[in-house]
Amino acid sequence: MTSDLLAPLDLAFWNIESDRNPMHLGALGVFSAHSPTAGAHAADLLAARAAAVPGLRMRIRDIWQPLSLSFGSAAREEDPDFDPLHHVRLHAPTADFQEVAGRLMERPLERVRPPWEAHVLPGEDGVSFAVLFKFHHALADGLRALTLAAAILDPMDMPERRPRPEEPARGLLPDVRKLPGLLRDALSDVGRALDIGASVARSTLDVRSSAALASVPSGTRRTAGVVVDLDDVHRIRKTVGGTVNDVLIAVVAGALRRWLDERGDGSEGVAPRALIPVSKRRPRSAQPQGNRLSGYLIRLPVDDPDPLGRLDSVRADMDRNKDAGPNRGAGAVALLADHVPALGHRLGGPFAAQAARLWFDILVTSVPLPSIGLKLGGNPVTAVFPYAPLAGGQSLAVAVSTFRGHVHYGLVADAAAVPDLDVFARALTEELETLITACGS
């Protein structure tokens, strides 16, 4: 049986998980159903197709051989006892997909099996159903998870792509002709690591967050979804400049302001640090397996009462990060995983999980979706809400996707710390309307 060692960042995600802070991604796809039995048929299709997708058959095995150079690491390998019925589950009909999704998101994935699940939720109305996909972050990042999920949906007509040439296998010793370049790269990596470390230290100074964004982990989860018109976002962007992502992040900042003020925590002086993950995958590619991530760290101008001022601040912060690139700055901490030995990840996992709260206050991530229609059993997708894992000690995470002319915000919160997630969800829509008005659109 062949195995594939986890990359350092994948190993980090595998080791920072705890029962109260599971490290899986999620996506809730809502489908228009052709018949009341469409949900049950969808579950049968998913189970039948999963067996033919190699990436879904991969479990993660810890490596503890004392004399192994990989001692303390972990590897992906095919599960010889793989059974799709352990991963695809059909639930009772429900009137509230988000309520059920919240309860399912709080359950850690089984670590002895391939770490993914697909939960089919028939709608009580008989004209819709939903599928909640869960993938462990050690198995896949957002792009890779999308590829795995798409592999068990209905086949799509995609243009044929020329396969990329495979890289030559690495030898035990480097080619001496490449030593100067390898040394130069090593020195560059050290310099970058020092730069990232210094940036992280600076980011912890003058922290102006809110207690509402911190929590003692309860292990409970609540989810919510918000849909807004992408044309409205484009109108704002065309009026004030910047990117669609700048506008979507500014909407989060404004919604936080409204939410904090409404719940009585207050927004005065609040400028929480938002981690904005950045994919380092090549365009149009979800290979290889695992995570290829860096990130930007920005201050959300929650304390600014002017909606256009908030957008200007977000745009300026994002521009500065882009000018520096995703390999430098406090947001690029994920790159430091490459400098930690396997045993260090194993021993330091619990400490790293707690350190996330000191590094950033809220995650705001974007998950790209294909613009073409997605179907399952001929039933079309009408909405997709992405869910990000909740870091230890944090109460709220925001994920965003654009799909077929709409923006879908997927919200995950600690249910005990944020019983009013619906208030924050409503604030997102209100903030977009405020920006439209401010732009005179």
Side-chain angles (χ1 to χ4, degrees):
M1 182 183 300
T2 60
S3 61
D4 172 30
L5 281 179
L6 294 189
L9 184 55
D10 302 343
L11 186 61
F13 284 129
W14 188 243
N15 286 315
I16 64 177
E17 180 172 64
S18 67
D19 288 342
R20 293 193 173 188
N21 282 105
M23 291 303 299
H24 52 254
L25 311 166
L28 182 71
V30 181
F31 296 78
S32 176
H34 293 328
S35 73
T37 60
H41 178 54
D44 291 339
L45 283 176
L46 293 174
R49 293 171 179 174
V53 181
L56 297 179
R57 303 175 64 93
M58 303 301 286
R59 67 182 181 185
I60 295 177
R61 175 179 58 85
D62 293 325
I63 298 176
W64 289 115
Q65 291 93 333
L67 300 180
S68 170
L69 294 175
S70 304
F71 180 74
S73 186
R76 298 182 192 85
E77 64 179 19
E78 185 170 335
D79 183 357
D81 301 316
F82 177 73
D83 183 349
L85 296 181
H86 288 148
H87 303 268
V88 179
R89 297 160 192 178
L90 177 64
H91 293 257
T94 177
D96 190 341
F97 296 139
Q98 292 288 351
E99 191 273 335
V100 178
R103 287 189 279 107
L104 292 172
M105 282 296 290
E106 69 188 36
R107 301 179 189 174
L109 294 164
E110 293 186 63
R111 292 169 71 94
V112 296
R113 292 190 173 121
W116 69 275
E117 293 173 352
H119 297 269
V120 181
L121 315 175
E124 282 186 354
D125 56 12
V127 297
S128 65
F129 68 91
V131 179
L132 173 66
F133 290 101
K134 293 168 56 178
F135 294 95
H136 199 287
H137 220 327
L139 180 69
D141 56 16
L143 281 175
R144 176 68 178 167
L146 173 63
T147 301
L148 292 172
I152 49 178
L153 297 179
D154 290 354
M156 296 180 289
D157 293 328
M158 301 290 287
E160 189 173 338
R161 296 176 187 170
R162 184 176 301 174
R164 297 181 183 275
E166 294 186 3
E167 295 183 2
R170 295 181 179 179
L172 294 177
L173 295 174
D175 187 332
V176 293
R177 293 169 297 180
K178 297 181 179 180
L179 284 178
L182 292 172
L183 179 59
R184 186 167 56 249
D185 291 344
L187 292 174
S188 176
D189 286 346
V190 171
R192 183 161 57 241
L194 292 173
D195 172 77
I196 293 171
S199 298
V200 171
R202 288 193 297 270
S203 74
T204 61
L205 301 175
D206 187 31
V207 174
R208 293 180 290 139
S209 187
S210 169
L213 295 175
S215 68
V216 176
S218 69
T220 60
R221 291 292 181 269
R222 189 184 306 273
T223 65
V226 177
V227 182
V228 299
D229 197 319
L230 183 57
D231 284 343
D232 290 337
V233 177
H234 278 301
R235 280 198 290 271
I236 297 168
R237 177 190 61 80
K238 291 176 181 177
T239 301
V240 301
T243 68
V244 165
N245 205 38
D246 294 341
V247 177
L248 298 179
I249 295 171
V251 167
V252 173
L256 284 172
R257 177 182 177 84
R258 294 169 182 270
W259 175 63
L260 291 173
D261 287 342
E262 185 165 340
R263 75 191 331 241
D265 289 272
S267 59
E268 184 177 354
V270 175
R273 298 157 299 174
L275 177 63
I276 316 293
V278 177
S279 175
K280 292 177 66 65
R281 291 191 183 280
R282 294 179 179 179
R284 305 179 71 184
S285 171
Q287 300 294 338
Q289 299 185 83
N291 292 269
R292 298 295 182 273
L293 292 173
S294 182
Y296 298 143
L297 196 69
I298 70 170
R299 294 281 183 143
L300 294 181
V302 173
D303 55 348
D304 188 340
D306 177 16
L308 293 182
R310 291 194 291 269
L311 179 50
D312 284 342
S313 295
V314 167
R315 184 177 59 188
D317 250 10
M318 288 297 288
D319 285 346
R320 280 192 293 271
N321 274 285
K322 291 172 186 174
D323 287 343
N327 294 333
R328 293 191 177 278
V333 164
L335 302 181
L336 297 182
D338 291 335
H339 299 274
V340 179
L343 191 58
H345 282 294
R346 180 75 59 177
L347 298 177
F351 301 101
Q354 298 303 316
R357 179 67 186 88
L358 302 176
W359 171 30
F360 64 97
D361 303 295
I362 184 172
L363 179 73
V364 183
T365 184
S366 177
V367 181
L369 293 174
S371 58
I372 58 178
L374 301 172
K375 295 181 180 181
L376 179 56
N379 303 285
V381 173
T382 59
V384 181
F385 300 100
Y387 301 134
L390 201 58
Q394 297 183 345
S395 61
L396 179 64
V398 180
V400 193
S401 284
T402 56
F403 180 65
R404 311 209 79 183
H406 292 88
V407 176
H408 297 80
Y409 282 96
L411 313 177
V412 176
D414 185 293
V418 187
D420 55 346
L421 186 60
D422 59 317
V423 176
F424 178 69
R426 184 179 71 245
L428 288 166
T429 302
E430 293 171 349
E431 180 62 17
L432 182 67
E433 292 171 352
T434 297
L435 275 170
I436 292 172
T437 301
C439 291
S441 301

